[in-house]
């Protein structure tokens, strides 16, 4: 899940255009059926995600925050002075504040966020907390090419920060494409600071996506409520259930909405048919070993310069630079 970040649960994504009906119809025609995970993040979905992060089973936020509290000074030292910090899917930017408190003379902070309200709130918080820091908000979908604002002075390097475990919400090919895009945007001497959830006991992983209070199940089913509201669909929420299963072979959580009976649902002019027990994939969340993540980065022409882990070694933050380029 993101920002479980697309750990995209943190990031409140919405589509960049009005083609929602077409996207949903295409996903429900596919075999197997699937829907994009950014559909989770309407207003209620975003609020439910905040509650997920507070559940005792959901270790990701807790471990990443512990990591940043312990290592933020070391991370800031590695990034160096006069950095322009660009954050993908900034959301509430809690972990960013921990980092910026330790950074030496940052040139600017560029939060990239597609949802206007979280972006406005984040800018206001940063203006209050860091009054001398130039904040240059960018309302955009970070998966598409970005035109970064001109910095107020020349940075020594641009660092793209991608917290949460949002990178895990992308299949390998898409994750490589996103890292390659970041590599272009960071420039020759830049870097990427990216969070990645680590492989661990599958029972711990599955519990994080199946909390006892049922908040994650509400979060997943809210996607259908959103489609009913925004597209006039007639999904019966009681006829679907949340299922999150750890696929050990693929090293990832696979979250689905499973039809409880044979049924058909109207989506625009289309009648979507579901068999009993048929799943609709709504999210993946990949888990990595340190070697897995280094191999992923290498496919995008990047190498791991440093890695930090929380005290329980459950979560990791990697600093990536261009392969073969000595950081200065």
């Amino acid at each position: 899940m993101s920002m479980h970040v697309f750990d995209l649960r943190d990031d409140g994504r919405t589509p960049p255009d009005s083609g929602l009906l077409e996207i949903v119809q295409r996903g429900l025609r596919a075999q197997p059926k699937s829907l994009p995970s950014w559909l989770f993040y309407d207003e209620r979905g975003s609020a439910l995600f905040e509650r997920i992060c507070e559940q005792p089973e959901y270790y990701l936020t807790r471990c990443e925050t512990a990591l940043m509290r312990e290592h933020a000074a070391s991370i800031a030292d590695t990034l160096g002075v006069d950095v322009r910090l660009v954050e993908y899917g900034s959301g509430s930017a809690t972990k960013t504040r921990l980092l910026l408190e330790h950074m030496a003379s940052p040139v600017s902070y560029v939060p990239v966020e597609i949802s206007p309200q979280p972006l406005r709130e984040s800018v206001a918080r940063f203006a209050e907390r860091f009054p001398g820091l130039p904040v240059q908000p960018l309302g955009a979908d970070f998966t598409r090419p970005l035109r970064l604002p001109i910095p107020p002075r020349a940075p020594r390097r641009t660092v793209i920060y991608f917290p949460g475990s949002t990178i895990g919400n992308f299949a390998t090919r898409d994750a490589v494409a996103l890292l390659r895009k970041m590599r272009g945007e960071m420039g020759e001497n830049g870097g990427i600071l990216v969070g990645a959830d680590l492989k661990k006991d599958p029972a711990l992983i599955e519990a994080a996506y199946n909390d006892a209070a049922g908040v994650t199940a509400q979060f997943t089913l809210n996607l259908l409520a959103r489609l009913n509201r925004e597209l006039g669909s007639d999904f019966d929420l009681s006829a679907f259930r949340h299922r999150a299963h750890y696929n050990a072979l693929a090293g990832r959580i696979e979250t689905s909405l499973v039809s409880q009976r044979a049924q058909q649902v109207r989506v625009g002019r289309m009648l979507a048919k579901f068999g009993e027990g048929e799943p609709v994939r709504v999210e993946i969340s990949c888990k990595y070993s340190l070697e897995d993540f280094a191999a992923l980065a290498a496919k995008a022409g990047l190498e791991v310069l440093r890695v930090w882990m929380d005290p329980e070694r459950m979560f990791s933050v990697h600093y990536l630079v261009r392969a073969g380029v000595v950081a200065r």
Side-chain angles (χ1 to χ4, degrees):
M1 294 182 274
S2 27
M3 18 204 276
H4 244 76
V5 234
F6 308 29
D7 240 343
L8 264 179
R9 287 152 65 142
D10 270 329
D11 77 350
R13 296 169 56 79
T14 52
D17 54 39
S18 58
L20 179 61
L21 179 61
E22 185 186 333
I23 290 166
V24 171
Q25 289 178 336
R26 187 166 63 239
L28 295 179
R29 283 192 194 103
Q31 286 299 328
K33 292 181 172 68
S34 68
L35 291 169
S37 58
W38 49 254
L39 281 169
F40 287 137
Y41 296 96
D42 62 357
E43 190 176 347
R44 180 162 188 265
S46 297
L48 284 168
F49 180 69
E50 295 299 321
R51 284 183 54 204
I52 287 169
C53 294
E54 296 163 1
Q55 299 309 303
E57 299 94 338
Y58 194 69
Y59 61 83
L60 290 94
T61 303
R62 186 173 65 248
C63 290
E64 186 178 17
T65 302
L67 184 157
M68 292 305 291
R69 289 193 192 285
E70 178 151 326
H71 297 298
S74 167
I75 294 170
D77 187 55
T78 299
L79 302 187
V81 299
D82 298 327
V83 165
R84 172 172 64 164
L85 189 67
V86 178
E87 183 176 1
Y88 274 17
S90 55
S92 61
T94 308
K95 290 152 286 201
T96 318
R97 290 199 293 277
L98 291 170
L99 179 58
L100 279 165
E101 281 167 4
H102 294 277
M103 287 178 66
S105 63
V107 168
S108 63
Y109 169 55
V110 182
V112 182
E113 172 59 62
I114 200 166
S115 301
Q117 188 61 24
L119 190 58
R120 279 193 297 270
E121 290 169 0
S122 176
V123 169
R125 275 196 301 270
F126 273 83
E128 190 177 334
R129 177 66 188 83
F130 302 100
L133 174 70
V135 178
Q136 299 180 293
L138 181 59
D141 176 354
F142 64 70
T143 66
R144 299 190 166 203
L146 299 179
R147 179 177 268 171
L148 296 176
I150 296 167
R153 58 188 170 93
R156 186 176 180 190
R157 67 170 52 92
T158 294
V159 173
I160 294 174
Y161 184 32
F162 197 30
S165 58
T166 305
I167 192 72
N169 295 123
F170 295 84
T172 300
R173 183 185 61 186
D174 298 328
V176 169
L178 183 61
L179 288 170
R180 197 173 284 130
K181 185 181 87 78
M182 291 184 192
R183 183 177 179 270
E185 287 165 358
M186 76 190 195
E188 195 64 35
N189 192 39
I192 300 166
L193 191 65
V194 56
D197 194 20
L198 296 175
K199 287 178 174 172
K200 56 186 73 67
D201 180 352
L204 276 177
I205 297 173
E206 285 203 347
Y209 296 84
N210 294 283
D211 59 276
V215 181
T216 307
Q218 290 179 55
F219 173 80
T220 307
L221 286 161
N222 181 63
L223 183 157
L224 300 181
R226 175 180 183 173
L227 298 185
N228 285 349
R229 185 181 68 252
E230 295 188 16
L231 298 179
S233 304
D234 57 356
F235 285 96
D236 176 358
L237 272 60
S238 68
F240 289 85
R241 68 177 173 86
H242 159 88
R243 182 178 74 195
H245 167 69
Y246 184 64
N247 179 336
L249 197 63
R252 67 190 194 184
I253 279 281
E254 296 172 348
T255 300
S256 301
L257 285 159
V258 181
S259 178
Q260 296 296 84
R261 54 179 165 81
Q263 57 180 312
Q264 50 188 29
V265 178
R266 187 165 297 285
V267 182
R269 293 183 177 179
M270 170 186 162
L271 216 51
K273 296 187 178 180
F274 299 84
E276 183 179 353
E278 183 177 5
V280 181
R281 172 79 54 79
V282 289
E283 187 178 57
I284 61 168
S285 188
C286 300
K287 312 301 173 186
Y288 305 93
S289 66
L290 297 183
E291 295 75 18
D292 291 337
F293 201 80
L296 182 74
K299 288 178 182 173
L302 297 158
E303 61 185 59
V304 179
L305 192 66
R306 284 202 64 180
V307 60
W308 298 266
M309 288 180 282
D310 66 289
E312 298 175 65
R313 299 175 77 86
M314 306 257 277
F315 194 88
S316 60
V317 168
H318 303 248
Y319 184 53
L320 311 178
V321 295
R322 284 173 179 260
V325 173
V326 178
R328 299 190 297 277

